[in-house]
Amino acid sequence: MYLRNCWYVAGWSEEIGRNLRPETFLDENIVLYRKEDGTPVALEDACPHRKLPLSHGNLKGDHVECGYHGLTFDCAGTCVAAPTQTNAIPRRAVVKSYPVADRYRLLWIWMGDPDLADPDLIFPIENFDNSAWGMTDGGAMDIDCNYLWICDNLLDPSHVAWVHVSSFAGAGTDGEPLNLERHDTGVVVSRWISDQPPSPYYERLLRFGGNCDRLQHYEMCLPGIGLNKSVYTPVGTGGYDSNPVQDTFINISYNFMTPLDADRTRYFWFQHRNDHADDREVSEYMNKGARMAFEEDRAILEEVHRGMKHARTPHIDLGLDAGAKSFRAMLSRAISAETGAD
């Protein structure tokens, strides 16, 4: 079961062009392309005649021609040509269309009721157009696991102490207490770690030396969008009621999970920082480090998925799983409300 009346990332905007791009999202086969004016289009990737994928056909102007018998569909999924029976286009020759929108360099798709698809509901990226903030190119990877295992992982600050030893780990990440907060659309697990050395990944990015106060802020929002905020600030200037000082470094990693099916997830990400705005070398360093960490996560999560799917004995939960369990419960309630389930 998936939450459908919401926006998911379908791809990087620059990667969707004048070609028929087949994708699978939430167990539905979809073809993406752009009209001649650049407007994005998403249709069901199946001709209603014999279900040949439309992505095996041809793009004719703004329309898609099936590669089997030439049935041709407009951007709304209506059949506008049936070459073998020109005087009687079949009334049931219709394919499903999906609302799509470009925002934040990403193409978003609405998988539910199209009448509810409001682009203003797309997850907001603060400071996106702020020239004082730097941004990485980001990336995408397919992970052979259910998207909820990735959501769990992104609500677990503790795993960095064992999975990301050479990058995001550091003193306090293995045992400092975690705080759990809930809001209308998500869950936050966080902690301040005081007067400890910075993690290896961030040490070269700071404008001060020595120990620091450090915030791990792990937030997951419906339907599966992770916001990981890292704050590094001089000793004595951190804490939940503190404000940034001149040397405070803030990095926000945006993570977008799009379920392909029950066993596969496409993971999109980019990072946004309050310093080194125009430093391309820093952006490349951060992007490379993030991908390395996500590869480490992928290796773990694919094994977790296999282990949990084929478990022969019961599993247990730990205290650190409270955030993940809270988010799963929130998501389950939202899906039940959407489907009318009890």
Side-chain angles (χ1 to χ4, degrees), residues 239-278:
Y240 285 107
D241 296 324
S242 65
N243 293 313
V245 298
Q246 182 174 350
D247 288 335
T248 299
F249 183 80
I250 302 172
N251 182 59
I252 302 175
S253 178
Y254 290 98
N255 309 273
F256 309 94
M257 270 58 68
T258 301
L260 306 183
D261 55 35
D263 300 305
R264 298 180 302 144
T265 305
R266 185 154 300 152
Y267 183 179
F268 300 89
W269 75 85
F270 70 87
Q271 295 170 295
H272 206 198
R273 61 185 185 271
N274 73 333
D275 201 354
H276 311 289
D278 300 316

Side-chain angles (χ1 to χ4, degrees), residues 22 53 69 73 94 177 182-183 229 237 263 265 275 297 313 321 324:
H69 293 98
F73 301 88
V94 177
R182 302 172 183 86
H183 54 76
K229 181 188 295 184
T237 63
D263 300 305
T265 305
D275 201 354
D297 283 328
T313 56
D321 298 312

Side-chain angles (χ1 to χ4, degrees), residues 94-110:
V94 177
V95 296
K96 184 178 179 180
S97 65
Y98 300 80
V100 282
D102 287 301
R103 188 166 296 183
Y104 308 127
R105 301 188 294 146
L106 297 164
L107 181 68
W108 301 76
I109 187 167
W110 183 274

